[in-house]
């Protein structure tokens, strides 16, 4: 890795070289940003001002409404399930069983997931499923834990569960509000696409994404309840890394 860095957002990206045998097969220019929770940019590489789709990188922030709404406590969501709500899991039996049990506990089923279906990304799990003559379900989707958290929150708040992936659904509006608070941005006119699991994904500059994660790690500027929610998710992720 060649590191062309300076403290400004105008610095060059750094280069990652991919080798195959003794030859460099490809080179990739990478932009990155490091920020503290007060908003001070500590290091940056490349263009950190243009918006990017953060996609699965922001799952812990998308899981905050599960706690802040009271849904996690109302449905006795375990630390293991909180970790799963932040997950890009690999579709192993421990993930599928946890998603299924969680949905059943809130009165729903796998058919209520709107994340789509794909084969497990963990090869042994995919091979075992195929060997048994079975097809993957939505619970195998690497985002099914996150979607279970969305549904759990909607059920608790007595919202319509069908269509929870729509941009105008309260589930998605709450997430946008959280992203705005963590990034210090008005996202009403930000670029919007559709993520691989069917929910809206919003374009956010890397410098503001870095701020958001610094604040997730150090949520002292937020209310006591929000800081407690961040801490609760951090502990769940650390305790059950196999779920995420």
């Amino acid at each position: 890795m060649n590191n062309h860095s300076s403290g400004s957002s105008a610095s060059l990206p750094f280069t990652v070289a991919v080798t195959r045998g003794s030859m460099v097969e490809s080179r990739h220019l990478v932009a990155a940003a490091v920020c503290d929770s007060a908003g001070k940019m500590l290091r940056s590489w490349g263009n950190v001002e243009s918006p990017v789709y953060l996609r699965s990188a922001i799952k812990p922030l998308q899981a905050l409404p599960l706690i802040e709404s009271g849904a996690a406590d109302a449905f006795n969501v375990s630390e293991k399930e909180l970790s799963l709500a932040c997950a890009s899991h690999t579709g192993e039996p421990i993930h599928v069983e946890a998603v299924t049990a969680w949905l059943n506990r809130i009165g729903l089923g796998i058919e209520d997931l709107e994340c789509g279906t794909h084969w497990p990304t963990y090869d042994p799990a995919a091979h075992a499923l195929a060997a048994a003559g079975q097809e993957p379900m939505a619970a195998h989707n690497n985002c099914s834990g996150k979607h279970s958290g969305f549904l759990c929150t909607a059920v608790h708040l007595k919202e319509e569960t069908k269509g929870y992936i729509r941009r105008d659904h309260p589930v998605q509006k709450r997430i946008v509000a959280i992203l705005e608070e963590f990034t210090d941005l008005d996202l009403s006119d930000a670029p919007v696409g559709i993520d691989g699991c069917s929910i809206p994904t919003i374009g956010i500059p890397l410098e503001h994404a870095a701020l958001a994660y610094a604040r997730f790690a150090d949520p002292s500027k937020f209310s006591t309840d929000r800081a407690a929610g961040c801490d609760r998710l951090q502990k769940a992720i650390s305790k059950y890394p196999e779920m995420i």
Side-chain angles (χ1 to χ4, degrees), residues 11-202:
S11 62
L12 294 172
F14 61 79
T15 305
V16 174
V18 178
T19 60
R20 190 182 298 272
S22 61
M23 189 178 78
V24 174
E25 187 173 55
S26 60
R27 290 184 176 87
H28 305 265
L29 298 180
V30 179
V34 181
C35 185
D36 67 19
S37 60
K40 179 182 178 181
M41 184 64 62
L42 304 179
R43 300 292 295 276
S44 67
W45 298 263
N47 182 356
V48 298
E49 298 170 353
S50 294
V52 297
Y53 289 134
L54 301 173
R55 302 185 62 191
S56 290
I58 55 168
K59 282 180 177 175
L61 300 182
Q62 293 171 320
L64 274 172
L66 174 62
I67 294 175
E68 293 183 351
S69 68
D73 290 334
F75 287 105
N76 297 314
V77 175
S78 66
E79 285 186 293
K80 186 176 288 189
E81 289 167 336
L82 287 178
S83 183
L84 186 65
C86 302
S88 292
H89 67 71
T90 49
E92 298 172 62
I94 57 169
H95 307 126
V96 175
E97 292 165 7
V99 164
T100 304
W102 188 359
L103 290 172
N104 288 341
R105 197 168 73 249
I106 64 175
L108 299 177
I110 294 173
E111 66 277 6
D112 293 294
L113 293 170
E114 297 180 2
C115 53
T117 300
H118 63 64
W119 286 90
T121 55
Y122 181 59
D123 285 345
H127 294 161
L129 198 64
Q134 299 176 358
E135 294 288 331
M137 304 176 293
H140 290 97
N141 186 299
N142 69 320
C143 295
S144 61
K146 175 180 75 175
H147 282 247
S148 296
F150 292 165
L151 285 167
C152 186
T153 304
V155 169
H156 174 64
L157 296 176
K158 296 179 171 51
E159 296 166 349
E160 176 65 47
T161 56
K162 187 174 179 58
Y164 68 88
I165 60 174
R166 297 193 317 268
R167 187 179 179 184
D168 61 352
H169 193 282
V171 163
Q172 302 305 326
K173 287 183 176 181
R174 279 189 293 271
I175 291 170
V176 172
I178 283 177
L179 291 177
E180 289 184 330
E181 292 176 39
F182 274 80
T183 61
D184 275 351
L185 290 173
D186 177 356
L187 298 174
S188 56
D189 293 322
V192 179
I194 300 299
D195 209 341
C197 66
S198 303
I199 68 167
T201 182
I202 300 175

